[in-house]
Structure formats: structure tokens, C-alpha cells
């Protein structure tokens, strides 16, 4: 507890099912020192594309599941993704006790819109 200045969650939280999101953010909060920073990225699965990892590309596999629960395949093994929205990440972070510094979509190192941003970026302080 209260040991780290910075916690990085790089392309990781979206691999956890929704029931673990706030628990994982709570652990990040717990290990940060007061004033410490959490830096997080997640894939933007809502961008408007049928290429790459998007909910639209994998929608045919849902068979009644939520569009937010996406399963792709990596080396012939199923790989789970949760399709976060930026507002959802903000809500979870605030509910955990974080103070938001910035939150945006990014593509090729520049801020973008949700429809073409490849990643979601969130920076928050304890």
C-alpha cells in the first residue's frame, strides 16, 4: 500500500471481465502513494472499422452476448476484450477515488475522435 509514484495499466484492463474492473482499479489506487499517478490505455473497440479489433468485426460471433464482450483469437486461442467507452473508464476511475487529469482517444500519437481513435488514454491522480 502507498508504495508507488506511478501505476501503468497498458492495454490490460480491457482483458478483464466487467466484474473485475473496479477491483483492479482499486488495487492500482491502493498501491499508489498520495498524489501518485495512474496512466492507462485500452483499445478503442468502438471505432468505425471492420479491420483490426473492433466490436463491428466480431459482432457475428456474439450470439446474444453484449457487444461489449468481444472474443478474438490469438495464435488459435480465444482472447477476451471488454469494449470500454471513455465515459465508462472515467466513471470507474472516479468511483474508485481517482481524480481525472486527462482522458481522450488517440490515433498515431495524436488526439482523435471515438470513431477513429485506436486507443483510449486516461491519466488520473490519487
Amino acid at each position: 500500500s502507498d508504495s508507488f509514484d506511478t501505476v501503468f495499466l497498458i492495454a490490460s484492463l480491457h482483458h478483464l471481465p466487467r466484474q473485475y474492473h473496479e477491483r483492479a482499479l482499486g488495487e492500482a489506487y491502493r498501491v499508489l502513494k498520495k498524489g501518485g499517478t495512474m496512466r492507462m490505455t485500452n483499445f478503442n473497440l468502438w471505432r468505425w472499422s471492420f479491420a483490426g479489433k473492433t466490436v463491428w468485426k466480431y459482432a457475428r460471433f456474439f450470439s446474444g452476448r453484449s457487444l461489449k464482450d468481444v472474443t478474438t483469437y490469438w495464435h488459435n486461442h480465444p482472447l477476451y476484450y471488454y469494449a470500454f467507452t471513455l465515459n465508462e473508464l472515467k466513471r470507474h476511475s472516479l468511483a474508485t477515488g481517482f481524480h481525472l487529469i486527462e482522458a481522450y482517444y488517440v490515433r498515431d500519437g495524436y488526439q482523435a475522435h471515438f470513431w477513429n481513435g485506436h486507443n483510449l488514454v486516461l491519466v488520473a491522480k490519487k
Side-chain angles (χ1 to χ4, degrees):
S1 298
D2 303 311
S3 299
F4 297 95
D5 295 318
T6 304
V7 169
F8 294 94
L9 297 167
I10 307 299
S12 56
L13 192 64
H14 59 236
H15 288 297
L16 297 177
R18 69 182 78 202
Q19 66 265 29
Y20 299 111
H21 296 162
E22 286 190 16
R23 183 191 228 177
L25 290 173
E27 280 299 297
Y29 189 87
R30 181 185 67 79
V31 301
L32 278 172
K33 294 177 183 175
K34 183 174 170 72
T37 305
M38 174 182 66
R39 299 174 184 277
M40 176 179 9
T41 66
N42 288 285
F43 292 155
N44 177 19
L45 299 175
W46 292 105
R47 65 187 170 95
W48 293 347
S49 174
F50 288 99
K53 293 178 177 91
T54 68
V55 295
W56 317 116
K57 180 177 180 180
Y58 295 99
R60 66 182 181 272
F61 299 118
F62 287 104
S63 65
R65 291 184 319 171
S66 166
L67 278 178
K68 289 184 164 280
D69 297 306
V70 177
T71 300
T72 66
Y73 289 87
W74 188 69
H75 296 284
N76 296 320
H77 297 285
L79 183 59
Y80 174 81
Y81 290 89
Y82 182 81
F84 281 108
T85 65
L86 195 55
N87 283 334
E88 191 174 18
L89 278 176
K90 289 178 185 180
R91 280 194 312 273
H92 283 314
S93 298
L94 290 170
T96 306
F98 283 104
H99 302 282
L100 295 179
I101 304 300
E102 54 187 341
Y104 54 91
Y105 293 91
V106 67
R107 179 181 179 154
D108 300 327
Y110 297 97
Q111 286 192 19
H113 296 283
F114 80 90
W115 61 80
N116 70 345
H118 288 188
N119 295 299
L120 298 87
V121 175
L122 187 136
V123 179
K125 282 206 176 274
K126 180 175 180 179

